Amino acid sequence: KTTLLRLIAGEETPTSGHISRDADMRIGYLPQQMVHNEGTTLREEVDTVRDKDDPKSVGQMERVLTGLGFERTDFDRPCSEFSGGWRMRIELAKILLQQPDLLLLDEPTNHLDIESIQWLEDWIQSAPCAAIIVSHDRAFIDNVTTRTIEISLGRIYDYNVPYSQFVTLRQERHEQQVRAYENQQKE
């Protein structure tokens, strides 16, 4: 799953075939493992992606950072003082502030508390971008998805439903396949 996201993000090249995307498509990719910048404060780090000409960007930055659990007193703290989980939140904030066309999230809830997860769910639900999310957090996935794609044994199964409905439909598909196999064996 991580390799698929890295391929879509352009961080890896496929061994065969190709990936097509618009040249001007902005992709925001949050990997599970990331390299952290040192020597900047939280505000300085987030300012690297913020549109400083937009007067609303300061308010947007504050809304995103506080939504992800940061206090205003954290804004001038060095990034090096934050744990790995909080640094992941910094990277997530930077990605959200870039307003990507496509959001790729690899296990985004791993280091978030319940309030931050709920805030992220609301943000994704109202975002004007597409999102591809890999997560083991079933409640999160069910709350933010409207389409579930299963890749199994080299085949893609596309369900235009949230995750919990996908689980039911997948089970029904499996039962139909078993019945078809049993009928074929009888013949």
Side-chain angles (χ1 to χ4, degrees):
K1 297 170 276 201
T2 296
T3 301
L4 179 62
L5 292 184
R6 290 179 55 78
L7 287 165
I8 295 169
E11 293 192 1
E12 288 188 22
T13 54
T15 54
S16 64
H18 67 282
I19 296 173
S20 299
R21 70 177 81 69
D22 289 342
D24 61 345
M25 178 182 274
R26 294 174 313 209
I27 297 176
Y29 173 47
L30 180 72
Q32 282 191 59
Q33 307 296 325
M34 59 194 76
V35 177
H36 301 288
N37 293 330
E38 300 292 333
T40 59
T41 65
L42 171 58
R43 183 186 316 270
E44 291 167 340
E45 188 63 27
V46 173
D47 272 346
T48 63
V49 300
R50 185 172 66 81
D51 180 1
K52 293 168 196 70
D53 294 330
D54 181 0
K56 295 183 289 184
S57 71
V58 172
Q60 185 183 23
M61 175 195 74
E62 289 180 2
R63 185 176 63 84
V64 169
L65 289 176
T66 57
L68 290 173
F70 291 100
E71 300 290 332
R72 284 181 170 72
T73 55
D74 291 328
F75 292 4
D76 294 313
R77 284 180 55 198
C79 290
S80 59
E81 290 182 3
F82 293 102
S83 69
W86 284 96
R87 288 182 184 200
M88 185 279 299
R89 293 178 192 219
I90 295 169
E91 293 305 310
L92 180 57
K94 288 168 49 179
I95 290 166
L96 299 180
L97 288 167
Q98 291 175 28
Q99 300 176 345
D101 300 309
L102 175 61
L103 186 60
L104 305 174
L105 300 177
D106 196 352
E107 298 292 349
T109 63
N110 277 357
H111 300 287
L112 298 180
D113 57 21
I114 291 171
E115 293 83 13
S116 297
I117 291 171
Q118 289 171 339
W119 181 88
L120 182 59
E121 287 174 359
D122 292 341
W123 191 94
I124 291 171
Q125 290 167 347
S126 65
C129 66
I132 298 175
I133 302 167
V134 172
S135 178
H136 289 93
D137 184 336
R138 291 177 181 214
F140 174 76
I141 286 292
D142 207 35
N143 290 335
V144 298
T145 59
T146 57
R147 182 176 177 190
T148 305
I149 298 173
E150 176 186 27
I151 302 171
S152 178
L153 301 173
R155 296 202 55 199
I156 294 175
Y157 301 93
D158 188 356
Y159 299 84
N160 285 313
V161 296
Y163 182 76
S164 61
Q165 290 176 318
F166 151 75
V167 171
T168 301
L169 292 173
R170 179 180 60 179
Q171 180 62 32
E172 289 172 2
R173 186 189 82 223
H174 176 71
E175 289 169 2
Q176 288 172 349
Q177 289 172 334
V178 168
R179 282 193 302 275
Y181 172 78
E182 289 170 349
N183 290 337
Q184 184 183 35
Q185 293 305 309
K186 285 178 187 177
E187 289 181 21

